[in-house]
């Protein structure tokens, strides 16, 4: 597990390895038997672990490449004129595994710098969290626009940090989400243009032929699918999405 997917096991292992969470327990179930009542307790460690697992989807959306990818895929589906194809499950699965592919070096660095020293008792929990979050901050800083960070700093009333690494994490996450939405819409606009041109051409031809009762969307759909297949659209789109994420540690302009 440590070598294969350490980023998946990181949060549960931290909670399971924390001595402070192992001792206290809450009474959960009382079973009445012939020998009397037996009370089964629920460890606070398990409660904390279950609570942390509920936050994983939010962390996936707020701190990884998932948001940009799923928005671009949804725009592509709309541009093709097939709102239900591919289905949502396929798009979500594709976006999830592409996110893991893009984020794998970052997660590996989080494990190497933070989780592994903590599990080997070479680093305290607070220091491990502080060190382990630095690769994630570096990834988000590389995708975030400076004006978005400045906006949220002004909203909090905080002074401008001396270095990009000193940006508070709540400010960085909010600015990162805003930047990702803007970038996803920009990519979606570029994707939409060729299919929109096909729709306009087909609609103009049908109107010139007097076939106004025939839906232009129905006629243009095969041509859009043909164009997408001829240019090897899935490989081109996924490759472009993967390469659109900067690995530098600075703030974008």
């Amino acid at each position: 597990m440590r070598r294969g997917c350490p980023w998946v096991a990181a949060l549960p292992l931290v909670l399971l390895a924390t001595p402070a969470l192992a001792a206290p327990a809450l009474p959960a179930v009382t079973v009445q038997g012939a020998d009397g009542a037996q009370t089964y307790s629920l460890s606070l460690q398990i409660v904390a672990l279950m609570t942390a697992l509920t936050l994983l989807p939010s962390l996936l959306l707020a701190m990884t490449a998932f948001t940009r990818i799923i928005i671009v895929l949804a725009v592509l589906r709309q541009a093709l004129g097939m709102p239900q194809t591919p289905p949502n499950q396929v798009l979500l699965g594709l976006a999830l595994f592409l996110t893991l592919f893009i984020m794998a070096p970052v997660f590996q660095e989080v494990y190497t710098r933070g989780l592994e020293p903590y599990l080997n008792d070479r680093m305290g929990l607070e220091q491990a969290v502080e060190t382990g979050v630095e690769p994630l901050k570096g990834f988000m800083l590389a995708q975030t626009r400076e004006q978005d960070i400045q906006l949220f700093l002004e909203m909090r009333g905080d002074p401008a940090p001396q270095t990009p690494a000193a940006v508070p994490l709540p400010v960085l996450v909010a600015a990162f989400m805003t930047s990702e939405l803007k970038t996803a819409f920009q990519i979606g606009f570029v994707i939409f243009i060729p299919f929109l041109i096909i729709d306009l051409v087909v609609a103009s031809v049908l109107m010139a032929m007097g076939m106004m009762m025939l839906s232009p969307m129905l006629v243009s759909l095969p041509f859009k699918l043909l164009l997408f297949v001829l240019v090897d659209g899935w490989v081109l789109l996924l490759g472009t999405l993967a390469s659109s994420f900067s690995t530098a540690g600075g703030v974008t302009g």
Side-chain angles (χ1 to χ4, degrees):
M1 175 65 74
R2 290 187 182 182
R3 295 182 180 179
C5 49
W7 49 88
V8 177
L11 185 57
L13 286 177
V14 168
L15 292 173
L16 290 172
T18 306
L21 296 176
L26 298 174
V29 179
T30 301
V31 178
Q32 187 71 35
D35 299 332
Q38 177 68 37
T39 301
Y40 296 91
S41 61
L42 181 64
S43 173
L44 290 180
Q45 181 183 18
I46 303 301
V47 175
L49 175 61
M50 295 175 63
T51 303
L53 290 177
T54 62
L55 298 176
L56 287 180
S58 300
L59 296 178
L60 178 68
L61 289 172
M63 302 177 69
T64 68
F66 184 84
T67 300
R68 182 189 304 186
I69 296 171
I70 193 63
I71 291 177
V72 171
L73 293 178
V75 171
L76 170 67
R77 187 173 64 175
Q78 192 68 32
L80 286 171
M82 301 186 297
Q84 302 299 327
T85 306
N88 291 332
Q89 294 86 344
V90 174
L91 289 189
L92 288 172
L94 182 59
L96 177 60
F97 282 101
L98 186 58
T99 299
L100 293 178
F101 171 77
I102 294 171
M103 300 296 297
V106 179
F107 290 148
Q108 183 63 48
E109 191 174 356
V110 170
Y111 175 78
T112 303
R113 297 178 57 180
L115 182 59
E116 186 178 23
Y118 172 74
L119 295 178
N120 294 329
D121 296 326
R122 300 198 308 266
M123 189 179 294
L125 178 60
E126 183 177 352
Q127 185 182 1
V129 171
E130 183 179 351
T131 305
V133 80
E134 289 179 0
L136 272 176
K137 290 184 67 175
F139 171 81
M140 290 189 289
L141 282 169
Q143 326 305 325
T144 307
R145 293 173 174 81
E146 185 177 353
Q147 58 267 30
D148 294 333
I149 295 179
Q150 185 63 35
L151 170 65
F152 287 100
L153 285 174
E154 292 176 357
M155 292 175 62
R156 280 174 45 120
D158 293 346
Q162 299 295 326
T163 61
V167 176
L169 186 60
V171 172
L172 179 57
V173 172
F176 172 74
M177 287 289 292
T178 306
S179 294
E180 285 296 281
L181 289 173
K182 183 176 180 179
T183 303
F185 275 50
Q186 289 174 342
I187 299 175
F189 172 78
V190 175
I191 293 174
F192 218 106
I193 293 300
F195 302 109
L196 180 60
I197 292 175
I198 293 178
D199 286 334
L200 292 175
V201 171
V202 170
S204 300
V205 171
L206 291 178
M207 185 174 295
M209 296 175 63
M211 304 174 66
M212 299 181 182
M213 299 301 295
L214 188 60
S215 172
M217 297 294 296
L218 182 63
V219 178
S220 64
L221 179 58
F223 295 101
K224 292 190 286 188
L225 290 177
L226 179 62
L227 171 66
F228 194 68
V229 171
L230 287 178
V231 300
D232 205 359
W234 287 113
V235 174
L236 183 62
L237 176 63
L238 297 181
T240 303
L241 274 174
S243 61
S244 68
F245 290 93
S246 174
T247 57
V251 182
T252 60

